[in-house]
Every structure is written in C-alpha cells, then in structure tokens.
Amino acid sequence: MGEELKSEEGLGRRRYAGEDVGSGFDHSTVSSANSVLEGEHSSGRLRRLLPFLGPAFIACIAYIDPGNFATNIEAGARYGYLLVWVVVASNLMAMLIQSLSAKLGIATGMNLAELIGQEFPKPVVWVFWAIAEVIAMATDLAEFLGAAIGIQLVFGFPLFLSGVITGFATFAILALQRFGFRMLEAIITVFVGVISLCYLLETLRGKPDFEAVGNAFLPPRFDGTQSVLLATGILGATVMPHVIFLHSALTQDRIIARNDAQKKRLFRFEVIDVVIAMGLAGFVNVAMLLMAAVTFYGTGVLAPGDDLILRAYETLTPILGGNASLIFGVSLIAAGLSSSTVGTMAGQVIMQGFLGWKLPLWLRRGVTMAPALIVIGLGVNTTDTLVLSQVILSFGIPFALLPLVLFTTRKDLMGALVNRRSTTVIAWIVASIIIALNGFLLFETVF
C-alpha cells in the first residue's frame, strides 16, 4: 500500500475513499486521536471521542437516501405499521455489517474491494466488480433522482433542470475533499442533522399510535408477496452494499494504530461511531414509515399507481398542516445531495479497489449521472424507479457481505481484530436471512 501514510503522527496527505486529501483540520484530528490511542486521558470523554467520529456518519447517509423515502413511504401508506419491524431489524443488521467493514479497514489497512482483488481469482474479481458497478449505478440512480425531485418540489423547477442542478451541487460537495476528510465529514454530518430534525418535526406533527407500533413487532409478519417485495426493498435501502465497500475505505488509513492494543482501542471508538450514526439513521427510517402510516394508510389519498413521493409532498401540508410539505422537500434534497456524493465516493473505491483504475471524480460523477437523467427524460414513475433500484441493491448485498464475513473471520488477515465466534455466527445468520428473503422473492416473482 504505497499510498498509505507511514509517519507516526499521520501528517501529510491521506488517502480517503480513493482521493488524496489533507488539511490542518485533519492533522489536528489525527494528532488528538493518536494521543488517545497512546493512553493520554487529560481531556474529557467527549473530547476523546470526537476525533474518531465521522466515517460512520458518511456511511450512514446512504441509509437515509431517497430510496429509503420511497420504500418507507410506500410501506407505511400500503401496510400501516406492519413493516416497521423490518426497518428496525434492517438497521440492526446494518450496525453489525458496518462495524465489520470498519474493522476490516482498521485491521488490514486495505478496503474490501482491494482485498477481493488480492485474494480472489481474477475471473471472480471481474464478476464481483461488474456486480458492484451495477449496484453503484442503481444506488446513484436513486440518490440523484431523489435530490432532483426534492429541488423540483421545493423550488418549482422542471425535473430535468433540477437534475442538472443536482449534478453541479454534488460536484461542489465532492470538491470539498481537497480540504481534507474532516471537512467532508462535517458537511455530511450537517446533512444528517438536517434530515433527522426534519423527521423529528414530521413525527411530532403526525402523532403516531405507539401502542399499534409495538403490536407490529408481535409477531413479526408479512401480508402477501407485495409486502415481501417492499421488505426486500427496505432491506436493500438499509443494508446498502456499496457502503459496505466504502466504510472499509474510510477507516483503512484515516487513523493509523501502531500495535494490536491500539487497533482494539480504535475499533471500540469506531463501534461507538457506528452506533450513534446508525442509530440516527434508524430513527429517520422509522419516522418516515410512521409519518406515511399516520398520514396515508387507509385514507385513499394515495391510490395505486400514484407517484408516492410527489403525492406525499402535495398532501402533507393539507393533512398535517403548517410547513409539513416544505420540511419533507428539504429533507429529500439533503438526503439526495449527500447520498449522491457518498455514492460517487463508493464508486471510486469500487473501481480503484477491484481493478486499480482511478477515474477523475468529475468523470465518475458524469458517468453515473447519465442513467438518472435518462430516467428523468423518459418521464418514468419516479417512486417505482426508486423502489426497483432498492430491490436491485438488496440482490447485490450477498456479493459484498459474504466476502466481508469471510475476510473478518481470517486470523491471518485480521490479527487481533479477528471476529469472535459469536460475531461470526450472528454475521452468517444475517447473511442467510438476507439471501433467503431475496430467494423467496425471486421464486414468487418468477413462478
């Protein structure tokens, strides 16, 4: 890993999700983190934690992207609180998976795509790369399209023009990488905060029936094939395969631990990062479904075939009052812009990790914009497109998850951070549930 940082203090330029970055903010963060890893405890607990927060917040934005809006709104509008347990279970799975991904980067100094390229036969690597690229494009389709819809709803621009504005906005956010990883982490965290605040307000306005929400967990259940399709979409929108690749890249050389004790300490901080970030993402996803259930379930306001996101925006203020529609639109813009940025970063990691190819970010952004602009130009139902993209993501999960579990169980790769037996068992159970759910859906759809 010739691009890895070798100095003790972690100074100089650092490779972050495929890009060389560095700034004074980064140097201060790395210096503070190294002091904590060395056992210095002169500052309070929060100040010790702060240098390690960030990677999971970038990863978690993918869990509250426009694809989540589509699947959660449709689930709540069609089935009320029935599938809230799927959202919660998916988020718990995401916490485990993202912890494993972060741990892989810390333990090996390599990301998941690089390890697949190194450990698997070349023909298999090419197959995995092709699947990962399809996943990345499906991801970017949902995220780009969602941001464009949000801009159209809030500002009244035509959808195609909104798409062009989205492209320029994401270019601008990606350009912030030149100022270092800390700047990008801060911007993405602000987006997470905006989305969380918006849905806190929506939930308070909606006043959901929490007793009925609790009953949806006892027992967990489905209601026909269509509910399984939506559950698979929720799973694909929550356990995002592209961000499994990305999170390992975000931690692989952000902070360099010098020995096994420091690696374990660093990983404990990253677990806290994951729990906080994914906890916020889980709250937002549950709030989306509750808002849709309270507002639309059983009302007939949203009819079959409606473009649910557009209809939701139009009807929220008449039903919930105040600026409910505007709050919804702002949250959609924040989710789309930030997640589209993160999706482009993941695409760069995938291509560079598997094949060693490195495209300029502007070219990568331009290529992945094309499918979304085509969909906009064709006038396809946007919500249906978003839900379908999430189902595609769900089918791609095993191709990221299985190698992740395999690698994190290998002592020769992970050293002191190798999975405990209980962690491995749970990880395989999660993988089996995801694969079984996808297999059931495929069988029901084909036969």
Side-chain angles (χ1 to χ4, degrees):
M1 298 298 293
E3 295 180 324
E4 284 184 4
L5 183 68
K6 300 300 183 181
S7 68
E8 288 190 351
E9 293 300 323
L11 302 178
R13 299 184 63 81
R14 305 185 63 80
R15 193 161 58 83
Y16 196 63
E19 289 297 298
D20 292 326
V21 296
S23 76
F25 292 113
D26 296 352
H27 300 163
S28 176
T29 298
V30 172
S31 179
S32 298
N34 284 337
S35 296
V36 175
L37 294 180
E38 289 167 2
E40 298 178 12
H41 301 296
S42 57
S43 57
R45 289 185 178 181
L46 180 58
R47 292 197 65 180
R48 292 202 303 271
L49 175 62
L50 284 177
F52 302 97
L53 298 181
F57 281 82
I58 287 185
C60 89
I61 203 70
Y63 294 80
I64 46 179
D65 72 356
N68 295 87
F69 280 66
T71 53
N72 291 327
I73 289 173
E74 185 164 0
R78 289 194 180 192
Y79 297 102
Y81 303 127
L82 178 71
L83 297 180
V84 69
W85 70 270
V86 177
V87 176
V88 174
S90 297
N91 199 71
L92 293 174
M93 293 180 189
M95 286 185 179
L96 171 64
I97 292 167
Q98 292 307 314
S99 295
L100 293 181
S101 182
K103 181 166 68 170
L104 184 73
I106 293 169
T108 66
M110 301 176 69
N111 62 60
L112 179 59
E114 290 172 337
L115 281 168
I116 292 174
Q118 173 182 286
E119 299 292 325
F120 286 9
K122 206 62 178 177
V124 176
V125 171
W126 279 94
V127 170
F128 270 71
W129 169 73
I131 293 171
E133 285 290 353
V134 170
I135 292 168
M137 288 184 181
T139 301
D140 203 60
L141 171 63
E143 294 161 345
F144 189 95
L145 187 57
I149 293 169
I151 292 172
Q152 178 196 35
L153 295 177
V154 173
F155 298 103
F157 299 143
L159 188 57
F160 193 85
L161 175 59
S162 299
V164 174
I165 294 172
T166 298
F168 281 110
T170 53
F171 277 128
I173 297 171
L174 286 166
L176 294 174
Q177 288 190 85
R178 72 182 62 184
F179 299 108
F181 64 78
R182 206 56 172 165
M183 176 66 75
L184 187 62
E185 289 172 354
I187 295 298
I188 296 297
T189 300
V190 168
F191 278 120
V192 174
V194 168
I195 299 164
S196 300
L197 178 61
C198 287
Y199 270 93
L200 175 61
L201 294 174
E202 296 281 29
T203 303
L204 293 175
R205 286 177 181 273
K207 299 178 181 178
D209 182 349
F210 288 104
E211 182 178 353
V213 173
N215 291 337
F217 289 86
L218 301 171
R221 58 198 180 276
F222 296 109
D223 183 18
T225 303
Q226 186 62 34
S227 69
V228 179
L229 173 64
L230 270 176
T232 306
I234 291 170
L235 187 63
T238 305
V239 185
M240 300 285 278
H242 76 291
V243 87
I244 297 175
F245 289 102
L246 178 62
H247 203 164
S248 59
L250 296 176
T251 60
Q252 71 180 101
D253 57 4
R254 180 180 184 271
I255 306 294
I256 304 297
R258 300 188 182 94
N259 53 50
D260 288 346
Q262 289 193 6
K263 286 183 178 181
K264 290 180 178 180
R265 193 174 296 128
L266 175 57
F267 176 59
R268 286 196 293 269
F269 281 113
E270 292 302 332
V271 169
I272 296 173
D273 187 31
V274 167
V275 170
I276 295 173
M278 297 299 160
L280 282 173
F283 159 76
V284 172
N285 280 308
V286 170
M288 286 181 194
L289 189 147
L290 297 186
M291 178 273 292
V294 169
T295 310
F296 306 121
Y297 179 60
T299 64
V301 172
L302 298 182
D306 276 350
D307 194 320
L308 295 182
I309 287 181
L310 298 179
R311 289 287 291 138
Y313 178 82
E314 293 168 356
T315 56
L316 274 173
T317 292
I319 294 173
L320 295 183
N323 297 315
S325 293
L326 177 61
I327 293 170
F328 175 79
V330 169
S331 68
L332 185 57
I333 293 172
L337 290 179
S338 53
S339 59
S340 187
T341 301
V342 170
T344 301
M345 294 168 61
Q348 188 80 339
V349 167
I350 287 169
M351 179 170 285
Q352 189 171 338
F354 278 111
L355 306 179
W357 298 351
K358 184 177 180 180
L359 294 180
L361 273 178
W362 65 266
L363 179 57
R364 180 80 201 188
R365 172 73 275 179
V367 169
T368 53
M369 280 170 52
L373 290 175
I374 291 171
V375 168
I376 291 171
L378 292 175
V380 177
N381 183 295
T382 52
T383 300
D384 288 347
T385 303
L386 291 174
V387 172
L388 179 60
S389 73
Q390 302 313 296
V391 175
I392 293 172
L393 293 183
S394 188
F395 282 108
I397 290 171
F399 295 94
L401 182 54
L402 294 180
L404 176 66
V405 178
L406 285 171
F407 290 148
T408 54
T409 60
R410 284 178 51 178
K411 178 75 172 178
D412 61 318
L413 288 176
M414 300 296 294
L417 292 184
V418 66
N419 287 348
R420 296 177 181 177
R421 182 179 296 274
S422 58
T423 302
T424 299
V425 170
I426 294 171
W428 282 122
I429 290 173
V430 167
S432 300
I433 290 172
I434 293 171
I435 293 170
L437 183 60
N438 289 332
F440 173 76
L441 175 62
L442 182 63
F443 179 83
E444 289 291 323
T445 302
V446 174
F447 298 103

Coordinates of all heavy atoms in Angstrom, one line a residue, residues 374-435:
I374 N -31.5 10.0 -18.0 CA -32.3 9.2 -18.9 C -33.7 8.9 -18.4 O -34.7 9.1 -19.0 CB -31.6 8.0 -19.4 CG1 -30.3 8.3 -20.2 CG2 -32.5 7.0 -20.1 CD1 -29.4 7.1 -20.5
V375 N -33.7 8.5 -17.1 CA -35.0 8.2 -16.5 C -35.8 9.4 -16.4 O -37.1 9.4 -16.7 CB -34.7 7.6 -15.0 CG1 -36.0 7.6 -14.2 CG2 -34.2 6.2 -15.2
I376 N -35.2 10.5 -16.0 CA -36.0 11.8 -15.9 C -36.5 12.2 -17.3 O -37.7 12.6 -17.5 CB -35.1 12.9 -15.4 CG1 -34.7 12.7 -13.9 CG2 -35.7 14.3 -15.6 CD1 -33.7 13.6 -13.4
G377 N -35.7 12.0 -18.3 CA -36.1 12.4 -19.7 C -37.2 11.5 -20.2 O -38.1 12.0 -21.0
L378 N -37.3 10.3 -19.8 CA -38.3 9.3 -20.2 C -39.6 9.5 -19.5 O -40.7 9.0 -19.9 CB -37.8 7.9 -20.1 CG -36.7 7.4 -21.0 CD1 -36.3 6.0 -20.6 CD2 -37.1 7.5 -22.5
G379 N -39.6 10.3 -18.4 CA -40.8 10.5 -17.6 C -41.3 9.3 -16.9 O -42.5 9.2 -16.6
V380 N -40.4 8.4 -16.5 CA -40.8 7.2 -15.7 C -41.3 7.5 -14.4 O -40.9 8.5 -13.8 CB -39.6 6.2 -15.7 CG1 -40.0 5.0 -14.9 CG2 -39.2 5.8 -17.1
N381 N -42.2 6.8 -13.8 CA -42.7 7.0 -12.4 C -41.5 6.9 -11.5 O -40.9 5.9 -11.4 CB -43.7 5.9 -12.1 CG -44.3 6.1 -10.7 OD1 -43.6 6.0 -9.7 ND2 -45.6 6.3 -10.6
T382 N -41.3 8.0 -10.8 CA -40.1 8.1 -10.0 C -40.1 7.2 -8.8 O -39.0 6.6 -8.5 CB -39.8 9.6 -9.6 OG1 -41.0 10.1 -8.9 CG2 -39.5 10.5 -10.8
T383 N -41.2 7.1 -8.1 CA -41.2 6.2 -6.9 C -41.0 4.8 -7.3 O -40.3 4.1 -6.6 CB -42.6 6.4 -6.2 OG1 -42.7 7.8 -5.8 CG2 -42.6 5.5 -5.0
D384 N -41.7 4.3 -8.4 CA -41.5 2.9 -8.8 C -40.0 2.7 -9.2 O -39.4 1.6 -8.9 CB -42.3 2.6 -10.0 CG -43.8 2.5 -9.7 OD1 -44.1 2.4 -8.5 OD2 -44.6 2.5 -10.6
T385 N -39.4 3.7 -9.8 CA -38.0 3.5 -10.2 C -37.1 3.5 -8.9 O -36.2 2.6 -8.8 CB -37.5 4.8 -11.0 OG1 -38.3 4.8 -12.2 CG2 -36.0 4.6 -11.4
L386 N -37.4 4.3 -7.9 CA -36.6 4.3 -6.7 C -36.8 2.9 -5.9 O -35.8 2.4 -5.5 CB -37.1 5.4 -5.8 CG -36.7 6.8 -6.2 CD1 -37.3 7.9 -5.3 CD2 -35.2 7.0 -6.3
V387 N -38.0 2.4 -5.9 CA -38.2 1.2 -5.2 C -37.5 0.0 -5.9 O -36.9 -0.8 -5.3 CB -39.8 0.9 -5.1 CG1 -40.0 -0.6 -4.5 CG2 -40.4 1.9 -4.1
L388 N -37.6 0.0 -7.2 CA -36.9 -1.0 -8.0 C -35.4 -1.0 -7.8 O -34.8 -2.0 -7.7 CB -37.3 -0.9 -9.5 CG -36.6 -1.9 -10.5 CD1 -37.0 -3.3 -10.1 CD2 -36.9 -1.6 -11.9
S389 N -34.9 0.2 -7.7 CA -33.4 0.3 -7.5 C -33.0 -0.3 -6.2 O -32.0 -0.9 -6.1 CB -33.0 1.8 -7.6 OG -33.4 2.5 -6.5
Q390 N -33.9 -0.1 -5.2 CA -33.6 -0.7 -3.9 C -33.7 -2.2 -3.9 O -32.9 -2.9 -3.2 CB -34.5 -0.1 -2.8 CG -34.5 1.4 -2.7 CD -33.1 2.0 -2.7 OE1 -32.3 1.7 -1.7 NE2 -32.7 2.8 -3.7
V391 N -34.6 -2.8 -4.7 CA -34.6 -4.2 -4.8 C -33.4 -4.7 -5.4 O -32.8 -5.8 -5.0 CB -35.9 -4.6 -5.6 CG1 -35.9 -6.1 -5.8 CG2 -37.1 -4.2 -4.8
I392 N -32.9 -4.0 -6.5 CA -31.6 -4.4 -7.1 C -30.5 -4.4 -6.1 O -29.6 -5.3 -6.0 CB -31.3 -3.5 -8.3 CG1 -32.3 -3.7 -9.4 CG2 -29.9 -3.7 -8.8 CD1 -32.2 -2.6 -10.5
L393 N -30.5 -3.4 -5.2 CA -29.4 -3.3 -4.2 C -29.5 -4.5 -3.3 O -28.5 -5.0 -2.8 CB -29.6 -2.0 -3.4 CG -29.3 -0.7 -4.1 CD1 -29.5 0.5 -3.2 CD2 -28.0 -0.7 -4.8
S394 N -30.7 -4.9 -2.9 CA -30.9 -6.0 -2.0 C -30.3 -7.3 -2.6 O -29.6 -8.1 -1.9 CB -32.3 -6.2 -1.6 OG -32.5 -7.1 -0.6
F395 N -30.5 -7.5 -3.9 CA -29.9 -8.7 -4.5 C -28.4 -8.6 -4.6 O -27.7 -9.6 -4.7 CB -30.5 -8.9 -5.9 CG -31.9 -9.5 -5.9 CD1 -33.0 -8.7 -6.2 CD2 -32.0 -10.8 -5.6 CE1 -34.2 -9.3 -6.2 CE2 -33.3 -11.4 -5.6 CZ -34.4 -10.6 -5.9
G396 N -27.8 -7.4 -4.5 CA -26.4 -7.3 -4.6 C -25.7 -7.4 -3.2 O -24.5 -7.5 -3.2
I397 N -26.5 -7.4 -2.2 CA -25.9 -7.4 -0.8 C -25.0 -8.6 -0.6 O -23.9 -8.5 0.0 CB -27.0 -7.4 0.3 CG1 -27.6 -6.0 0.3 CG2 -26.4 -7.7 1.7 CD1 -28.9 -5.9 1.2
P398 N -25.4 -9.9 -1.0 CA -24.5 -11.0 -0.7 C -23.1 -10.9 -1.3 O -22.2 -11.4 -0.7 CB -25.3 -12.2 -1.3 CG -26.7 -11.8 -1.3 CD -26.7 -10.3 -1.6
F399 N -23.0 -10.2 -2.4 CA -21.7 -10.1 -3.1 C -20.8 -9.2 -2.4 O -19.6 -9.2 -2.7 CB -21.9 -9.7 -4.6 CG -22.7 -10.7 -5.4 CD1 -24.0 -10.6 -5.5 CD2 -22.0 -11.7 -6.0 CE1 -24.7 -11.5 -6.3 CE2 -22.7 -12.7 -6.7 CZ -24.1 -12.6 -6.9
A400 N -21.3 -8.4 -1.5 CA -20.4 -7.6 -0.6 C -20.3 -8.2 0.8 O -19.3 -8.2 1.4 CB -21.0 -6.1 -0.5
L401 N -21.4 -8.7 1.2 CA -21.5 -9.2 2.6 C -20.7 -10.5 2.8 O -20.0 -10.7 3.8 CB -23.0 -9.4 3.0 CG -23.2 -9.9 4.4 CD1 -22.6 -9.0 5.5 CD2 -24.7 -10.0 4.7
L402 N -20.9 -11.5 1.9 CA -20.2 -12.8 2.1 C -18.7 -12.6 2.1 O -18.0 -13.2 3.0 CB -20.6 -13.7 1.0 CG -22.1 -14.2 1.0 CD1 -22.4 -15.1 -0.1 CD2 -22.5 -14.8 2.3
P403 N -18.0 -11.9 1.2 CA -16.6 -11.7 1.3 C -16.2 -11.0 2.6 O -15.2 -11.3 3.2 CB -16.2 -10.8 0.1 CG -17.3 -11.1 -0.9 CD -18.5 -11.3 -0.1
L404 N -17.0 -10.0 3.0 CA -16.7 -9.3 4.3 C -16.7 -10.2 5.5 O -15.7 -10.2 6.3 CB -17.8 -8.2 4.5 CG -17.7 -7.4 5.8 CD1 -16.4 -6.6 5.8 CD2 -18.9 -6.6 6.1
V405 N -17.7 -11.1 5.6 CA -17.7 -12.1 6.7 C -16.5 -13.0 6.6 O -15.9 -13.3 7.6 CB -19.0 -12.8 6.7 CG1 -19.0 -13.9 7.9 CG2 -20.2 -11.9 6.9
L406 N -16.3 -13.5 5.4 CA -15.1 -14.4 5.2 C -13.8 -13.8 5.6 O -13.0 -14.4 6.3 CB -15.1 -14.9 3.7 CG -16.1 -15.9 3.2 CD1 -16.0 -16.0 1.7 CD2 -15.9 -17.2 3.9
F407 N -13.6 -12.6 5.2 CA -12.3 -11.9 5.5 C -12.2 -11.7 7.0 O -11.1 -11.8 7.5 CB -12.1 -10.7 4.7 CG -11.9 -10.9 3.2 CD1 -12.4 -9.9 2.3 CD2 -11.2 -12.0 2.7 CE1 -12.3 -10.1 0.9 CE2 -11.0 -12.1 1.4 CZ -11.6 -11.2 0.5
T408 N -13.2 -11.2 7.6 CA -13.1 -10.9 9.0 C -13.1 -12.1 9.9 O -12.8 -11.9 11.1 CB -14.3 -10.0 9.5 OG1 -15.6 -10.6 9.1 CG2 -14.3 -8.6 8.8
T409 N -13.2 -13.3 9.4 CA -13.0 -14.5 10.2 C -11.6 -15.0 10.0 O -11.3 -16.0 10.7 CB -14.0 -15.6 9.8 OG1 -13.9 -15.9 8.4 CG2 -15.5 -15.1 10.0
R410 N -10.8 -14.4 9.2 CA -9.4 -15.0 8.9 C -8.4 -14.3 9.8 O -8.2 -13.1 9.8 CB -9.1 -14.7 7.5 CG -9.8 -15.7 6.5 CD -9.4 -15.4 5.1 NE -8.0 -15.3 4.8 CZ -7.4 -15.1 3.6 NH1 -8.2 -15.0 2.6 NH2 -6.1 -15.0 3.5
K411 N -7.8 -15.1 10.7 CA -6.8 -14.6 11.6 C -5.6 -14.0 10.9 O -5.0 -13.1 11.3 CB -6.3 -15.8 12.5 CG -5.3 -15.5 13.5 CD -5.8 -14.7 14.7 CE -4.7 -14.5 15.7 NZ -5.2 -13.7 16.9
D412 N -5.2 -14.6 9.7 CA -4.0 -14.1 9.0 C -4.2 -12.7 8.5 O -3.3 -12.0 8.3 CB -3.7 -15.1 7.9 CG -4.8 -15.3 6.9 OD1 -6.0 -15.3 7.3 OD2 -4.5 -15.3 5.7
L413 N -5.5 -12.4 8.2 CA -5.8 -11.0 7.7 C -6.1 -10.0 8.9 O -5.6 -8.9 8.8 CB -7.0 -11.0 6.8 CG -6.8 -11.7 5.4 CD1 -8.1 -11.7 4.6 CD2 -5.7 -10.9 4.6
M414 N -6.8 -10.5 9.8 CA -7.4 -9.6 10.9 C -6.5 -9.5 12.1 O -6.6 -8.5 12.8 CB -8.8 -10.0 11.3 CG -9.8 -10.1 10.1 SD -10.1 -8.4 9.4 CE -10.9 -7.7 10.8
G415 N -5.7 -10.5 12.4 CA -4.8 -10.4 13.5 C -5.7 -10.4 14.8 O -6.6 -11.1 15.0
A416 N -5.4 -9.4 15.7 CA -6.1 -9.3 17.0 C -7.5 -8.9 16.8 O -8.3 -9.1 17.8 CB -5.4 -8.2 17.8
L417 N -7.9 -8.4 15.6 CA -9.3 -8.0 15.4 C -10.2 -9.0 14.7 O -11.3 -8.7 14.2 CB -9.4 -6.7 14.6 CG -8.9 -5.4 15.4 CD1 -9.1 -4.2 14.5 CD2 -9.6 -5.2 16.7
V418 N -9.7 -10.3 14.6 CA -10.5 -11.3 14.0 C -11.8 -11.5 14.8 O -11.9 -11.3 16.0 CB -9.7 -12.7 14.0 CG1 -9.4 -13.2 15.4 CG2 -10.3 -13.7 13.1
N419 N -12.8 -11.8 14.1 CA -14.1 -12.0 14.7 C -14.1 -13.0 15.8 O -13.5 -14.0 15.7 CB -15.2 -12.5 13.6 CG -15.6 -11.4 12.7 OD1 -15.3 -10.2 12.9 ND2 -16.3 -11.8 11.6
R420 N -14.9 -12.7 16.9 CA -15.2 -13.7 17.8 C -16.1 -14.7 17.2 O -16.8 -14.4 16.3 CB -15.8 -13.1 19.1 CG -15.0 -12.1 19.8 CD -15.7 -11.5 21.0 NE -14.9 -10.5 21.7 CZ -15.3 -9.8 22.7 NH1 -16.6 -9.9 23.1 NH2 -14.5 -9.0 23.3
R421 N -16.2 -15.9 17.8 CA -17.1 -17.0 17.3 C -18.5 -16.5 17.2 O -19.2 -16.7 16.3 CB -16.9 -18.2 18.1 CG -17.8 -19.4 17.5 CD -17.6 -20.6 18.4 NE -16.2 -21.1 18.3 CZ -15.7 -21.9 17.4 NH1 -16.5 -22.3 16.4 NH2 -14.5 -22.3 17.4
S422 N -19.0 -15.8 18.3 CA -20.4 -15.4 18.4 C -20.6 -14.4 17.3 O -21.7 -14.4 16.7 CB -20.6 -14.8 19.7 OG -19.8 -13.7 20.0
T423 N -19.7 -13.5 17.0 CA -19.9 -12.5 16.0 C -20.0 -13.1 14.6 O -20.9 -12.8 13.8 CB -18.7 -11.5 15.9 OG1 -18.6 -10.9 17.2 CG2 -18.9 -10.4 14.9
T424 N -19.2 -14.1 14.4 CA -19.2 -14.9 13.1 C -20.5 -15.6 12.9 O -21.1 -15.5 11.8 CB -18.1 -15.9 13.0 OG1 -16.8 -15.2 13.1 CG2 -18.1 -16.7 11.7
V425 N -21.0 -16.2 14.0 CA -22.3 -16.9 13.9 C -23.4 -15.9 13.6 O -24.3 -16.2 12.7 CB -22.6 -17.6 15.2 CG1 -24.1 -18.2 15.3 CG2 -21.6 -18.8 15.4
I426 N -23.5 -14.8 14.3 CA -24.5 -13.8 14.0 C -24.4 -13.3 12.6 O -25.4 -13.1 11.9 CB -24.4 -12.7 15.0 CG1 -24.8 -13.2 16.4 CG2 -25.4 -11.5 14.7 CD1 -24.5 -12.2 17.5
A427 N -23.2 -13.0 12.1 CA -23.0 -12.5 10.8 C -23.5 -13.5 9.7 O -24.1 -13.1 8.7 CB -21.5 -12.2 10.6
W428 N -23.2 -14.7 9.9 CA -23.7 -15.7 9.0 C -25.2 -15.9 9.0 O -25.9 -16.1 8.0 CB -23.0 -17.1 9.2 CG -21.6 -17.2 8.7 CD1 -20.5 -17.5 9.4 CD2 -21.2 -17.0 7.4 NE1 -19.4 -17.5 8.6 CE2 -19.8 -17.2 7.3 CE3 -21.9 -16.7 6.2 CZ2 -19.0 -17.1 6.2 CZ3 -21.1 -16.6 5.0 CH2 -19.7 -16.8 5.0
I429 N -25.8 -15.7 10.2 CA -27.3 -15.7 10.3 C -27.9 -14.6 9.5 O -28.8 -14.7 8.8 CB -27.7 -15.7 11.8 CG1 -27.4 -17.0 12.5 CG2 -29.2 -15.4 11.9 CD1 -27.6 -17.0 14.0
V430 N -27.3 -13.4 9.7 CA -27.8 -12.2 9.0 C -27.6 -12.4 7.5 O -28.6 -12.1 6.7 CB -26.9 -11.0 9.4 CG1 -27.2 -9.8 8.4 CG2 -27.3 -10.6 10.8
A431 N -26.5 -12.9 7.0 CA -26.3 -13.2 5.6 C -27.3 -14.2 5.1 O -27.9 -14.0 4.0 CB -24.9 -13.7 5.3
S432 N -27.6 -15.2 5.9 CA -28.6 -16.2 5.4 C -30.0 -15.7 5.3 O -30.7 -16.0 4.4 CB -28.5 -17.4 6.5 OG -27.3 -18.0 6.5
I433 N -30.4 -14.8 6.3 CA -31.7 -14.2 6.2 C -31.8 -13.3 5.0 O -32.9 -13.4 4.3 CB -31.9 -13.3 7.5 CG1 -32.1 -14.2 8.7 CG2 -33.2 -12.5 7.3 CD1 -32.1 -13.5 10.0
I434 N -30.8 -12.6 4.7 CA -30.9 -11.7 3.5 C -31.0 -12.5 2.2 O -31.8 -12.2 1.4 CB -29.6 -10.8 3.5 CG1 -29.7 -9.8 4.7 CG2 -29.6 -10.0 2.2 CD1 -28.4 -9.0 4.8
I435 N -30.2 -13.5 2.1 CA -30.2 -14.4 0.9 C -31.5 -15.1 0.8 O -32.1 -15.2 -0.3 CB -29.0 -15.3 0.9 CG1 -27.7 -14.5 0.8 CG2 -29.1 -16.3 -0.2 CD1 -26.4 -15.4 1.1

